[in-house]
Amino acid sequence: MYPGERAQSEVIGTVLLLGITIAAVTATVATGSVALAAVTDEAQTAGVENGMSQFTSRASLVALGGTDAKRFDLGSVDGGDLRLEEDAGRVEVRIERPDGSVTAESYSLGTLVYAGDGREVAVQGGGVWSSDGTRGRMVSPPEYHYRGETLTFPIVQLTGDETTPDRGSGVVRANASEEVFPNVSNPLENGTVVVEVRSDYYEGWYDFFSQRAEGDVTKDDANRTATARLVVPGEVELDKPLSLGSEDTHTDIPLDEDDYELGASHPSPSAVIDERIGNASTNNPSSIGDCFGGGTCTAGVYHAGGDVALSNDVEFDTTGGNVTIAIDGDFDIGGNDLQITDGSDNTVKYYVNGSVDLNNPTIGTTASSIDAKRTQFYVNGGIAENTNGIGNAEIDAIIYAPNADVEANGNPTLRGAFVFERLDLGGASSMAYDADLSDFELTITGGPGQNPITYLHVSRNEVALRFD
């Protein structure tokens, strides 16, 4: 190799080494810049998130009348876009009644949004929410409080003159306030209270309703809504021996108008039946065979996950407490007797998520006097749908089966209170009322996730933002 060639190689190697070094340094700086920018953006967004949480507490204090105005400071908003969207987010509150009537009010919530490079943080409805573009989540809860059987929902609305402010500081001031549903009396009577929120952060609202607000909660991804439902307890007065949902009924026995009512509205028993069956199946119940297997059935909860058919008479001793029978299917009593033998005030309650069939049984107590409230049936389906109908049954009980179309082909004796959809009663049938039921009410409510609500307090509270 000639000396000149060796010198040329050294120069080329030096150039290559410098190129590699420069490329490595450039890549490192570029990568570090991206990482630093990401960290800086996340830190700034986190700072704004903290500022938003402080802001919403001040805004809620103003909205709820704690003060007329409050200053706020969201921190630095230079790294993103701050905007006030008065029409973003919407809430509707409805009261749905069994007769199909609906009372509803709907309002825009207004949303204050900070959008960074990778995440949004927003104030809406008195809560703070965030989104990474794929799913919304809750940062701090909204103004929605469910305690016991009372829902308090002050709807906080954000308004303002400036939609894209340059600064994140200013004053929030009370603007207007009014009661929603001023003509709806408390306590509520029957139906369901529905709260539906349409929002870009609906998943966060859904999580809040599911985890902390209670109720039957659903979400609709297509419409970007989260919905919570609370059931108003249905109080059924048993002031007559017979109450029918249909106007179409037939009886051959003489009934005074004080003995029956037609066209009555009855809450569905499905919620309370589902609740009792759900509780019975998860809280270490006894098998239904332990009660119906022969001998005497004593206090306790007995569960069946499907249809049940009796093969013998059953006597109940309730001196140790109540008996609950939860059947997730049909209950075929046949001609077997179901009777309480003790003289206590405890009850035997049947929750049947299907139909009840019977053929000439004796149901109630062994005492000669009527004591209907000690035997109660809640039935989701029909009663006596077999060809024999009720037959010559003797029933001393409360039977709440508002979906049942009952036909009595024999000569039954019915004592107590009976709620059906329709009744065809003929022959030499007899019906008597238990006077002790005159002050007795059935509460038809409950169900998995369907917590009862008795008192509703909803208000619309508008606050105005003025930025510096």
Side-chain angles (χ1 to χ4, degrees), residues 119-184:
R119 189 155 61 95
E120 284 187 354
V121 184
V123 173
Q124 184 182 83
V128 180
W129 318 88
S130 73
S131 173
D132 59 4
T134 59
R135 193 183 194 283
R137 69 178 182 88
M138 182 183 70
V139 177
S140 64
E143 291 293 337
Y144 178 103
H145 309 285
Y146 181 75
R147 298 288 185 272
E149 295 182 350
T150 300
L151 173 61
T152 303
F153 187 20
I155 299 170
V156 179
Q157 292 181 287
L158 299 182
T159 62
D161 295 332
E162 196 170 355
T163 57
T164 56
D166 295 325
R167 297 175 59 84
S169 59
V171 176
V172 58
R173 190 179 304 277
N175 203 25
S177 180
E178 65 178 353
E179 182 184 356
V180 179
F181 306 134
N183 298 321
V184 174

Side-chain angles (χ1 to χ4, degrees), residues 427-466:
S429 305
S430 65
M431 180 169 290
Y433 181 60
D434 182 354
D436 289 341
L437 298 178
S438 58
D439 296 323
F440 186 78
E441 291 183 342
L442 297 181
T443 300
I444 309 299
T445 187
Q450 295 187 346
N451 290 36
I453 177 172
T454 302
Y455 297 93
L456 178 65
H457 304 286
V458 182
S459 59
R460 183 187 69 85
N461 307 273
E462 182 182 316
V463 295
L465 279 63
R466 181 176 59 79

Side-chain angles (χ1 to χ4, degrees), residues 93-119:
V93 184
R94 301 191 299 271
I95 303 175
E96 300 176 350
R97 297 180 178 83
D99 61 4
S101 63
V102 176
T103 301
E105 293 291 346
S106 178
Y107 303 100
S108 293
L109 290 171
T111 307
L112 180 62
V113 183
Y114 171 82
D117 287 341
R119 189 155 61 95

Side-chain angles (χ1 to χ4, degrees), residues 87-92 105-111 124 157 196-199 225:
D87 295 330
R90 193 164 192 87
V91 61
E92 181 174 275
E105 293 291 346
S106 178
Y107 303 100
S108 293
L109 290 171
T111 307
Q124 184 182 83
Q157 292 181 287
E196 181 177 279
V197 176
R198 187 174 73 250
S199 166
T225 59

Side-chain angles (χ1 to χ4, degrees), residues 90-343:
R90 193 164 192 87
V91 61
E92 181 174 275
V93 184
R94 301 191 299 271
I95 303 175
E96 300 176 350
R97 297 180 178 83
D99 61 4
S101 63
V102 176
T103 301
E105 293 291 346
S106 178
Y107 303 100
S108 293
L109 290 171
T111 307
L112 180 62
V113 183
Y114 171 82
D117 287 341
R119 189 155 61 95
E120 284 187 354
V121 184
V123 173
Q124 184 182 83
V128 180
W129 318 88
S130 73
S131 173
D132 59 4
T134 59
R135 193 183 194 283
R137 69 178 182 88
M138 182 183 70
V139 177
S140 64
E143 291 293 337
Y144 178 103
H145 309 285
Y146 181 75
R147 298 288 185 272
E149 295 182 350
T150 300
L151 173 61
T152 303
F153 187 20
I155 299 170
V156 179
Q157 292 181 287
L158 299 182
T159 62
D161 295 332
E162 196 170 355
T163 57
T164 56
D166 295 325
R167 297 175 59 84
S169 59
V171 176
V172 58
R173 190 179 304 277
N175 203 25
S177 180
E178 65 178 353
E179 182 184 356
V180 179
F181 306 134
N183 298 321
V184 174
S185 61
N186 281 312
L188 303 173
E189 297 179 0
N190 295 343
T192 302
V193 174
V194 182
V195 178
E196 181 177 279
V197 176
R198 187 174 73 250
S199 166
D200 287 342
Y201 314 99
Y202 73 99
E203 293 115 331
W205 281 94
Y206 171 78
D207 291 341
F208 169 73
F209 286 147
S210 298
Q211 299 167 11
R212 301 179 58 180
E214 303 190 34
D216 179 28
V217 181
T218 58
K219 65 176 178 175
D220 183 341
D221 295 321
N223 293 312
R224 304 180 71 79
T225 59
T227 304
R229 304 176 68 86
L230 296 170
V231 177
V232 180
E235 301 292 343
V236 178
E237 296 183 359
L238 301 175
D239 54 356
K240 294 179 174 62
L242 181 62
S243 180
L244 303 176
S246 173
E247 297 278 357
D248 179 22
T249 191
H250 173 73
T251 61
D252 286 342
I253 60 174
L255 285 177
D256 189 89
E257 290 185 357
D258 293 335
D259 293 335
Y260 67 95
E261 59 179 344
L262 304 179
S265 177
H266 302 123
S268 170
S270 60
V272 70
I273 292 171
D274 287 345
E275 180 187 48
R276 298 303 190 273
I277 290 175
N279 289 342
S281 64
T282 57
N283 294 333
N284 300 314
S286 300
S287 167
I288 202 77
D290 295 337
C291 180
F292 291 165
T296 300
C297 182
T298 56
V301 177
Y302 302 89
H303 174 257
D307 297 343
V308 173
L310 281 184
S311 57
N312 49 259
D313 296 342
V314 180
E315 293 185 347
F316 297 93
D317 182 355
T318 66
T319 53
N322 297 326
V323 174
T324 298
I325 308 293
I327 300 174
D328 196 6
D330 295 334
F331 184 24
D332 187 355
I333 299 172
N336 300 288
D337 297 341
L338 298 169
Q339 291 187 286
I340 302 172
T341 59
D342 64 275

